[in-house]
Amino acid sequence: PDCSCVGEEIWVDSRTVYIGHKEPPPGAEAYIPQRYPDNRIVSSKYTFWNFIPKNLFEQFRRIANFYFLVIFLVQLIIDTPTSPVTSGLPLFFVITVTAIKQGYEDWLRHKADCSINECPVDVVQQGKVVRTQSHKLRVGDIVVVKEDETFPCDLILLSSSRPDGTCFVTTTSLDGESSHKTYYAIPDTMAFRTEQEVDSLHATIECEQPQPDLYKFVGRINIYKDKEEPVARPLGAENLLLRGATLKNTQHIHAVAVYTGMETKMALNYQSKSQKRSAVEKSMNAFLIVYLCILISKAVINTVLKYAWQWSPDRDEPWYNHRTEHERQRHVVIRAFTDFLAFMVLFNYIIPVSMYVTVEMQKFLGSYFISWDEEMFDEELGEGAQVNTSDLNEELGQVEYVFTDKTGTLTENNMEFIECCVDGNVYIPHAICNGQILSAASSIDMIDASPGGYRREYEDLFFRALCLCHTVQVKEEETVDGIKRGIHQGRPTSFYISSSPDEVALVEGMKRLGYTYLRLKDNYMEILNKDDEIERFELLHVLNFDSVRRRMSVIVKSSSGDYLLFCKGADSSIFPRVVSGKVEQVKARVEQNAVEGLRTLCVAYRRLSESEYQEACHHLMEAKLALQDREQRLAQAYDIIERDFVLLGATAVEDRLQEKAADTIESLHKAGMKVWVLTGDKMETAAATCYASKLFRRTTQILELTKKRTEEQSLHDVLFELNRTVLRQLCDALVFFIFFSLSVDCLDFGLIIDGATLSAVLKPNQEGAGHGNYREIFLEICRNCSAVLCCRMAPLQKAQIVKLIKASKEHPITLAIGDGANDVSMILEAHVGIGIMGKEGRQAARNSDYAIPKFKHLKKMLLVHGHYYYIRIAELVQYFFYKNVCFIFPQFLYQFFCGFSQQPLYDTAYLTLYNISFTSLPILLYSLVEQHVSMDTLKREPSLYRDIAKNSLLRWPVFLYWTCLGVFDAVVFFFGAYFLFDNTTFTSNGQMFGNWTFGTLIFTVLVFTVTLKLALDTHHWTWINHFVIWGSLLFYVIFSLLWGGIIWPFLNYQRMYYVFMQMLSSGPAWLSIILLITVSLLPDVIKKVLCRAMCPTATERAQVQCSLISVCMVACPCYMCSILLLPFSLHISLCLVSLGMFDMYFVVTVPASLINMLIK
Amino acid sequence: MMASSYSAKDEDGHITVSGPGGGTLRNKKPENTAFKQQRLPAWQPILTAGTVLPAFFIIGLIFIPIGIGLYVTSNNIKEFEIDYTGDDTSSPCYNCAQNFSWNNTKSCTCIIPFQLDQPYESNVFMYYGLSNFYQNHRRYVKSRDDSQLNGNIDSLKKPSKECEPYASVDNKPIAPCGAIANSMFNDTLKLFYNDPNGTSVPILLTSTGIAWWTDKHVKFRNPGGNNANLTAVFQGTVKPVNWHRPVYELDTDPENNGFINEDFIVWMRTAALPTFRKLYRIIQKNNNMAPTLPRGNYTLVVDYNYPVRSFEGRKRMILSTISWMGGKNPFLGIAYITVGSVCFFLGVVLLVIHHKYGNRNNSANISN
């Protein structure tokens, strides 16, 4: 009765695949042909037809583009002071360039798609192999894949050329793991050899609808044999061959397509991406809002003043300046609104479109420096740092909390078997004998048996358990140049591969102790025991490891017919399930090893009777066949099976610290970051690692917040006590510090907390009164600890901790670094996620924002790259606002002198090109190459990182300073020119200048001042800086000469004709340009010099030190000379090349103006 | 972005299929170039009190003399200004100002006597000045057709829309069109020197050379070339409504008539600020011995045509000599002297600071 219901449910979110498109026998199930997408991969976003509308739509969804579109439309619709070209052209440029780039990328994708989709694929049809194209594959097709071919879609393995029905696969292109993974065919079909046989298969597959998790698959195959009940077999991730993976070491396989085209896991995987925004971006948006308010208030003020001023009709319409009849008839409200819009348009340049473009370019181009960094290249891995998102570059300079994983991040994850303890006796394999390293083959007796050395049943079981309870694969030496390496040694050598380095270490350790795991063949595991005899165990079930259970088991059948369950796992997950064995001794040994920083595992076993085995089998099968909640059911089944253990012993594996891990942590500490270690390991092991990596020092006072303590006292008491300790100590230290100026070492606290206590702390309190209190107290304690160690953490708890700190009241910037799948959640949660390209696969690296080969590279990443990116982008943002205040504020002032008529001060070309070409390249270059302090100094003195902490360069006072500086400069420009023009002439022939000369004079001063201001801020003058800064000034002059030198036939006005040249022919104009530039730059120089002299920051001190050391100062005059003496013509030509990206403007200007003329 | 990474992965997959993995790994090693490693040689200047000090002193030392020079030059320039708006009853132009009407065909003349206390050596430049006249009003500034003024026949017959409402009268195009041209200054100013012996000598006023050379020769051109019969060329157009004469009768000299009339060109260059002056005539120095304008009594005779009372404007006549730095303008000189002194003063302050804090900095460095 339940069946139909279940069936109904299955129907909704599962699919039925008919293998070979054969209908199931009548009566079994209704044949419902389903439609799935074909195997066409479409990674392209656009087609030829929808490119323009879709691309435009996507681009205008961005707020900045939309803003400029609105401005542009306003300019088109109403009569505005500036022509639509001024905002239309930059917008057009940005949109076109983006569209061309995206179009080109999409064309490449189309090409790639095409080549993939037309890739030949062998399909079995009517018992014959037919070659077809990849995109013609359909769900249900049986595919033949040969060695070294990539799978064309997600396939269920039916049979393989290997007799045991397995095949090897690498998933390098999917997740970066290069190890060979084994996939299994179901026993019922693995015997198929020929196409005819395969074609005779009559079966359906029920499986879930596609989902992106690469490591999850739930399905069921129903095999119909003549008029019998169908046989159902479970299908899991071990049967599913993923598109993009490559077949290895297997001649060919037959497999059936289940997910095709865009439904393959690979395609689904590249569609989600985390959206993180940096603190800089947030402050940038805040500044933007301020400027938007300034813009609106400016427009409102001017509109109001305009109408107040125009009150008398003689001012509104003097006899010499009448409105058109059409304008006069317009209602005054409409006129006022139009005026408001016109003022908005006039001042809209205060929010420049080019800032967005520049910031984006800076981020995109700047991130190359990370991947180009040779120091972050790891020879061993053959890989350098990798940037997955460039949006967070500057966030690297703002990190306050570092959350790091231990295994594989702090440590090498290069395991070495140290010892084992069987039933209280300790065994240590001697790798070194008489000073010579013995090869594994020749050393026979390597067991240093503790007292007596008696062999007992437990010992045998222990070694067998370790040889059997694992998922290690044996890989025979690959053929190199046709000769099998290793053969000449007499017997083939082989090595072990596994996703867990612990397992490899254990199996290799066993080999050294005399028990060699040979291979898995036809479900029989073969072991070469100490007496060189081969023992065979039938592998019945593998209860896989997972990080929640923290153990794994195997059920094997020995040659004597006994059913044995071997289990190995973390002590905490084994001991509660043990019923007998020398628990005390083993526990003592485990703890001792843990203190030494070794990774320990406990081994236990259970003998199963036939009935118990059957029951276990039943549980497992039931769970495995479930389509719903399979994970949960499996966990339940495991829980039932894994109990009543007999403890056999424990192992200890050493995981060495990564190179320079201690140095890195010390630097991070000095840089003011708090380092937290989050690990799933035991407290003792983790603490030992922490001491070794200098996270805790000898002087560190350790506070413990562990289950052991909370069992004695209530959590409440412990927390309050710790809090008191911390605060008291702080006060004491402060007193000491004030009176005796002692070093602050005594302030050092370290906290150790375990997962269980953490969840108790984070749990909302039932009593109600203390709700949230614990959390606060805990945070308070943490804030005062320089280092925190969280052990026994579940992956999700890691993310919880990160979230907790993120949400605390200071909102610190967090960074999470890890290498394994268990770190992914925290990497995604933290502000910046860094993945280490580790041995535990590439999941962390794939989900991270940045990936680095080793932990030590974090130092350079944060202290050097992060620091640089931060100061660069901070200057970029502030400078952009500054230069636009300088640009627009004179225009605002001019309104007071032109009857609030929205008369622009500058010519259209200047308005348009100011942000795009006259002042854009220097700041872009600055934001790419500026180094205020040398790289080595930054590395040598991590404390410099504190200077930029808490977004210090983008705080409101700094922003205010820049804005005020901008306003001051603007006032200087405007009134300087005003007094110069005031009712007098300043040419030597008595001729007068007009309003366009007035604007051009201001504009010239503006461009020079703004560029020289940047030059004053530049601390790192490479030849490119010289080139771009002087080049863009030169470009401005040349452009102005050109722009005013010709009667441009396509322009309907010639107002700039000879204006610039006439201005330059006047002596006072030159003098006033020089004067105004000097005056505008003066306050900034004084501020800089005074700040440096009175209260220099650490950075500024470092700069001085640096310059004392370097000989640059001596070399600089020569250097300057050589720059200035560069042949002039060369300079110009290079200059134009450097401005090449904006040269398009010239090309674009012509047609755009033509369009403009047409519009008019 | 994600889609591109997607295809990148795809291609990676193909590389691993086709070739051995080792080759691709080698290529990943970043190049060791100075640029890519951010180690380009660089000059690293720092603005400290020590380095800025000399600059301040130098600026001070350069600016102060320049300022003094400018100030002295400006003071040596002689300038005479006379307001002939005719607002108060005592003014000779009061009647003309009061009786102004657009319909007057005969111009009203007023005679203003004045006295020069000093002789004006070298060339003297005669300006008219207007106040409260918004030549920089947006509606006004754009109300012109540059292609018409450049001699384009099509624009002559069909002026640009920007000229509205001064583009046409009764469907006949206005030449020159627009508000600027329409409001051209049309007072006539004449100067007479009253000899001590009682005769009144007219002073020769040159009306050429008052406009920019490029404007006169390139930007402004009569339609049909400068030699054609202007009356014929302007056939079919009407004069601007406020003008008394059509554009082709502005001057008798064909080189100074039509659009290339210099008074017209000067007017067409819109002023930056509402109070402005424009060059009207040049009084050339004729012989080397006598001053151009000797001290004594003069008479300014004004044909009063230009109304300014409606917008509370003022009209002035200015006589000024010119130096290399233009007319009288003490601002630049004072500004230079001020900035130079400030820099010098700051230099001294910085010197003190440098001595006081410089040592402390260095010691701090050592202790660090």
Side-chain angles (χ1 to χ4, degrees), chain A residues 41 43 79-81 109 116 148 150 173 266 270-271 309 314 316-317 319-324 369 372-375 377 379 382-383 865 872 894 897-899 901-903 931 935-936 976 978-980 983-998 1016 1019-1022 1024 1047 1053-1055 1057-1059 1062 1068 1071-1072 1074-1075 1078-1079 1082 1085-1086 1088-1090 1092-1094 1096 1101 1103-1105 1107 1112 1116 1120 1160, chain B residues 2-4 6-7 9-10 13-14 17 25-26 28-30 32 35-49 52 56 59 63 66 70 102 125 127 132-134 136-142 146 150 162 164-166 179 183 209-212 214 218-219 242 269-274 276-279 306-307 310-311 316 322-329 331-332 335-336 339 343 346 350 353 357 360-361 364-365 368:
Chain A
I41 276 280
S43 63
D79 169 45
T80 55
R109 263 179 250 137
I116 291 167
D148 288 338
T150 336
S173 57
M266 182 181 78
Y270 294 113
Q271 283 169 2
W309 186 82
D314 281 332
D316 188 21
E317 278 188 87
W319 63 264
Y320 55 85
N321 192 9
H322 284 299
R323 283 207 175 81
T324 58
F369 283 118
W372 279 339
D373 196 328
E374 211 186 17
E375 284 175 44
F377 181 80
E379 293 286 348
E383 266 179 287
H865 288 295
R872 286 168 187 173
Y894 191 55
F897 299 91
C898 71
S901 59
Q902 304 123 20
Q903 169 63 21
Q931 297 176 18
M935 232 183 253
D936 303 315
Y978 176 82
F979 286 119
L980 191 74
N983 202 18
T984 184
T985 167
F986 58 99
T987 52
S988 51
N989 58 6
Q991 293 168 357
M992 296 301 297
F993 289 153
N995 64 322
W996 297 115
T997 314
F998 184 67
L1016 282 179
H1019 289 113
H1020 191 77
W1021 284 85
T1022 63
I1024 317 176
I1047 296 274
Y1053 56 83
Q1054 305 297 340
R1055 56 199 183 203
Y1057 185 65
Y1058 256 71
V1059 162
Q1062 284 282 349
L1071 286 175
S1072 57
I1074 292 167
L1075 177 81
T1078 315
V1079 173
L1082 207 57
V1085 173
I1086 293 166
K1088 276 200 180 113
V1089 171
L1090 286 188
R1092 187 182 282 278
M1094 304 290 205
R1101 283 210 192 108
Q1103 286 173 344
V1104 174
Q1105 263 178 334
S1107 73
C1112 277
C1116 80
M1120 278 289 280
K1160 298 217 156 157
Chain B
M2 67 200 177
S4 65
Y6 168 81
S7 65
K9 295 266 178 186
D10 244 337
H14 282 273
V17 171
L25 289 185
R26 279 301 106 205
K28 278 189 184 173
K29 173 144 182 139
N32 183 16
F35 175 70
K36 287 188 174 181
Q37 300 308 320
Q38 304 194 60
R39 291 197 184 278
L40 281 176
W43 170 49
Q44 289 164 312
I46 311 164
L47 289 181
T48 59
V52 170
F56 273 35
I59 290 176
F63 273 30
I66 292 180
L70 285 172
W102 287 110
F125 293 80
Y127 296 91
N132 218 5
F133 190 99
Y134 284 83
N136 58 4
H137 196 282
R138 179 160 73 91
R139 206 163 55 224
Y140 187 84
V141 169
K142 67 175 184 180
D146 275 340
N150 197 29
E162 304 284 357
E164 294 289 347
Y166 305 99
S183 60
I210 56 173
W212 292 12
T214 46
V218 186
K219 193 171 161 184
N242 289 351
R269 183 156 293 281
T270 49
L273 299 165
F276 60 89
R277 59 168 79 167
K278 284 183 184 290
L279 188 54
Y306 206 71
S310 63
F311 53 88
R316 289 161 296 144
I322 290 283
S323 73
W324 63 272
M325 59 153 286
K328 199 178 187 74
N329 187 6
F331 164 72
L332 206 53
Y336 259 94
V339 173
C343 278
L346 282 171
L350 284 180
I353 288 171
Y357 291 91
R360 204 174 77 181
N361 270 353
N365 284 336
N368 271 8

Side-chain angles (χ1 to χ4, degrees), chain A residues 293-306 342-350 884-906 911 966-967 970-971 974-975 998 1002:
Chain A
C293 294
I294 293 177
L295 169 66
I296 290 170
S297 53
K298 267 186 183 173
V300 169
I301 289 171
N302 268 333
T303 314
V304 171
L305 286 176
K306 180 185 169 104
F343 278 120
M344 288 281 282
V345 167
L346 185 65
F347 302 141
N348 87 80
Y349 304 94
I350 206 165
N884 283 295
V885 170
C886 287
F887 180 44
I888 288 308
F889 203 72
Q891 194 135 258
F892 171 73
L893 293 174
Y894 191 55
Q895 298 311 307
F896 290 82
F897 299 91
C898 71
F900 305 98
S901 59
Q902 304 123 20
Q903 169 63 21
L905 188 52
Y906 317 116
L911 280 173
V967 171
V971 168
F974 183 78
F975 286 104
F998 184 67
I1002 293 179

Side-chain angles (χ1 to χ4, degrees), chain A residues 15 204 239 249 279 367 376 476 513 526 619 965 969 1039 1081 1084 1136:
Chain A
R15 58 165 59 179
T204 61
N239 309 106
N249 284 3
S367 59
M376 298 212 281
E476 281 106 40
L513 286 172
E526 294 179 3
H619 281 304
L965 192 70
D969 285 358
F1039 173 83
L1081 291 176
D1084 194 48
L1136 287 173

Side-chain angles (χ1 to χ4, degrees), chain A residues 736-918:
Chain A
F736 262 112
F737 185 65
I738 291 164
F739 286 100
F740 309 106
S741 310
L742 287 176
S743 79
V744 278
D745 270 355
C746 53
L747 264 177
D748 227 13
F749 285 105
L751 177 75
I752 300 178
I753 184 168
D754 63 6
T757 326
L758 184 79
S759 53
V761 169
L762 298 185
K763 199 166 59 189
N765 209 331
Q766 277 90 6
E767 288 145 42
H771 178 73
N773 251 356
Y774 287 168
R775 208 180 263 249
E776 282 309 307
I777 295 166
F778 175 64
L779 279 176
E780 185 67 39
I781 297 171
C782 292
R783 226 172 273 143
N784 292 315
C785 292
S786 59
V788 177
L789 165 63
C790 304
C791 44
R792 294 285 186 217
M793 304 290 277
L796 220 59
Q797 273 185 315
K798 292 186 176 183
Q800 268 181 354
I801 289 240
V802 175
K803 208 172 190 168
L804 179 75
I805 295 297
K806 249 171 89 177
S808 71
K809 64 173 182 280
E810 292 102 342
H811 297 288
I813 307 293
T814 56
L815 176 143
I817 177 165
D819 72 321
N822 58 347
D823 304 315
V824 170
S825 61
M826 94 175 161
I827 284 174
L828 291 177
E829 180 66 43
H831 290 102
V832 187
I834 294 196
I836 293 212
M837 304 162 178
K839 296 197 172 147
E840 290 180 16
R842 288 302 171 91
Q843 278 200 69
R846 259 182 42 211
N847 286 293
S848 63
D849 304 314
Y850 300 90
I852 49 177
K854 286 272 154 58
F855 183 73
K856 65 174 176 183
H857 298 132
L858 190 64
K859 181 175 167 182
K860 189 164 188 200
M861 192 88 167
L862 297 183
L863 297 186
V864 179
H865 288 295
H867 199 136
Y868 280 160
Y869 285 128
Y870 179 73
I871 57 140
R872 286 168 187 173
I873 199 143
E875 172 89 7
L876 171 69
V877 170
Q878 299 280 26
Y879 179 77
F880 248 102
F881 285 115
Y882 159 80
K883 78 176 171 126
N884 283 295
V885 170
C886 287
F887 180 44
I888 288 308
F889 203 72
Q891 194 135 258
F892 171 73
L893 293 174
Y894 191 55
Q895 298 311 307
F896 290 82
F897 299 91
C898 71
F900 305 98
S901 59
Q902 304 123 20
Q903 169 63 21
L905 188 52
Y906 317 116
D907 179 52
T908 307
Y910 287 158
L911 280 173
T912 313
L913 294 182
Y914 174 72
N915 270 317
I916 296 162
S917 56
F918 298 146

Side-chain angles (χ1 to χ4, degrees), chain A residues 104-117:
Chain A
Y104 175 70
E105 280 172 359
D106 209 56
W107 179 68
L108 286 184
R109 263 179 250 137
H110 268 290
K111 255 180 42 174
D113 287 352
C114 232
S115 70
I116 291 167
N117 289 336

Side-chain angles (χ1 to χ4, degrees), chain A residues 137-268:
Chain A
L137 269 184
R138 286 191 299 137
V139 169
D141 278 345
I142 298 171
V143 182
V144 184
V145 182
K146 301 206 176 62
E147 187 165 1
D148 288 338
E149 278 180 353
T150 336
F151 300 119
C153 58
D154 290 354
L155 304 162
I156 290 290
L157 181 58
L158 291 178
S159 70
S160 115
S161 60
R162 296 171 72 93
D164 55 356
T166 60
C167 72
F168 294 103
V169 163
T170 64
T171 51
T172 326
S173 57
L174 278 174
D175 55 10
E177 290 179 46
S178 56
S179 65
H180 291 195
K181 293 187 187 129
T182 316
Y183 285 81
Y184 303 90
I186 34 170
D188 308 68
T189 60
M190 65 186 239
F192 293 151
R193 285 288 164 273
T194 64
E195 281 70 41
Q196 286 78 17
E197 278 176 296
V198 175
D199 203 40
S200 70
L201 176 68
H202 200 181
T204 61
I205 291 172
E206 284 173 69
C207 58
E208 58 186 355
Q209 289 296 349
Q211 53 150 321
D213 191 334
L214 287 182
Y215 308 100
K216 250 185 206 155
F217 175 73
V218 184
R220 176 164 66 194
I221 184 167
N222 300 312
I223 301 165
Y224 302 96
K225 286 173 186 158
D226 317 303
K227 309 223 158 51
E228 279 175 38
E229 271 296 292
V231 188
R233 299 275 174 214
L235 296 173
E238 72 275 7
N239 309 106
L240 183 72
L241 305 167
L242 300 175
R243 176 174 191 148
T246 311
L247 186 66
K248 290 280 179 190
N249 284 3
T250 313
Q251 278 172 358
H252 66 266
I253 55 150
H254 291 107
V256 57
V258 284
Y259 303 133
T260 50
M262 295 314 288
E263 292 183 343
T264 57
K265 286 185 184 273
M266 182 181 78
L268 291 174

